[in-house]
Amino acid sequence: MTQDELKTLVGRAALDYVVAGEIVGVGTGSTVNKFIEALAAMKDRIPGAVSSSVASTERLQALGIRVFDANEVGELAVYIDGADEIDGRGYMVKGGGAALTREKIVAAQSRRFVCIADESKRVDVLGRFPLPVEVIPMATQRIVRQFRALGGTATVRLKDGKPLVTDNGQHILDVTGLAIREPLAFESEVNQWPGVVTVGVFAHQKASVCLLGTASGVQTIAY
Ligand code: 5RP
């Protein structure tokens, strides 16, 4: 099966976790796009969604799915999102699509996080994928130096030759060279550096369940 087919498989499998009558939290990325396509089939059974990005909002609305502001609604039953990496404990690296801050907000508002990923995302230790960090631009170079002190190399993510600007009007650093063995402590530490909006380690908001797309089908892993 191709990676695209595996994404379709897990995107469809995630429908089983959507609770009829409840607003669903929706992440961002190519795997979530497959979920959004599948969700259209049950749009009449849910009031709508809370979205983690402008891109997902546009896709949801184009399919006739109502999008609520996170402040309009209370706790969500479930949040469905992809990941750039997931380890054996359900800790993840996210933010390859630059939506990490809103993703973490919607995840924090949800009782369960269902991660949908193809098997290429499974790692033993987080850090193989360059770690995304959303930063306030005036703090960029100091944060680059702080990562250097940890052994990491941070570079500003570019789009069309200029720093990419997130949905929140900020920039993204991508950090290579880290092996994140203690994700909870790492996330807590980096998140309190001045100028860091959000680090892309999802340990405090880890997955409850991962639907992993493999050659032999969808593997369901609960943490
Ligand atoms: C976006 C994310 C995505 O969930 C992550 O990048 C995985 O994306 P894809 O499903 O396209 O591989 O964190 O900010």
Side-chain angles (χ1 to χ4, degrees):
M1 249 187 280
T2 65
Q3 195 183 27
D4 193 64
E5 286 166 340
L6 292 177
K7 289 179 183 189
T8 302
L9 199 65
V10 293
R12 289 182 183 157
L15 281 188
D16 290 344
Y17 291 80
V18 176
V19 181
E22 298 249 8
I23 296 169
V24 60
V26 175
T28 299
S30 56
T31 315
V32 164
N33 290 346
K34 305 289 192 184
F35 167 68
I36 293 174
E37 281 168 28
L39 187 64
M42 68 176 289
K43 69 178 175 191
D44 296 333
R45 280 181 279 153
I46 56 166
V50 171
S51 166
S52 62
S53 64
V54 172
S56 288
T57 296
E58 287 171 352
R59 280 180 181 266
L60 287 159
Q61 288 174 335
L63 291 168
I65 299 169
R66 181 172 172 193
V67 176
F68 292 85
D69 185 287
N71 290 303
E72 284 182 272
V73 302
E75 191 180 56
L76 305 176
V78 67
Y79 176 63
I80 314 274
D81 199 359
D84 298 302
E85 293 187 328
I86 182 161
D87 76 6
R89 295 173 289 180
Y91 297 139
M92 296 167 286
V93 162
K94 292 183 42 54
L100 62 163
T101 299
R102 295 187 186 198
E103 290 173 343
K104 210 176 267 189
I105 291 168
V106 188
Q109 195 168 338
S110 306
R111 280 196 294 284
R112 295 181 92 191
F113 187 139
V114 177
C115 174
I116 49 176
D118 64 83
E119 59 192 342
S120 70
K121 308 294 183 65
R122 181 68 179 82
V123 297
D124 289 329
V125 178
L126 300 178
R128 189 179 66 192
F129 187 89
L131 174 69
V133 186
E134 184 164 5
V135 299
I136 291 173
M138 75 171 284
T140 296
Q141 289 311 317
R142 196 178 42 71
I143 295 168
V144 166
R145 291 193 290 277
Q146 283 188 273
F147 276 117
R148 195 176 301 138
L150 296 183
T153 303
T155 49
V156 176
R157 192 182 300 180
L158 302 178
K159 188 179 177 194
D160 303 327
K162 293 186 188 141
L164 177 146
V165 177
T166 68
D167 287 350
N168 309 308
Q170 311 302 337
H171 291 174
I172 297 283
L173 286 175
D174 291 305
V175 189
T176 57
L178 300 173
I180 305 165
R181 296 184 192 282
E182 294 186 44
L184 281 165
F186 183 92
E187 181 182 12
S188 296
E189 183 194 335
V190 175
N191 261 350
Q192 53 85 30
W193 293 353
V196 168
V197 179
T198 311
V199 64
V201 170
F202 281 53
H204 293 280
Q205 271 75 44
K206 71 170 191 159
S208 320
V209 178
C210 178
L211 306 180
L212 197 67
T214 73
S216 50
V218 178
Q219 202 184 328
T220 304
I221 308 160
Y223 304 100

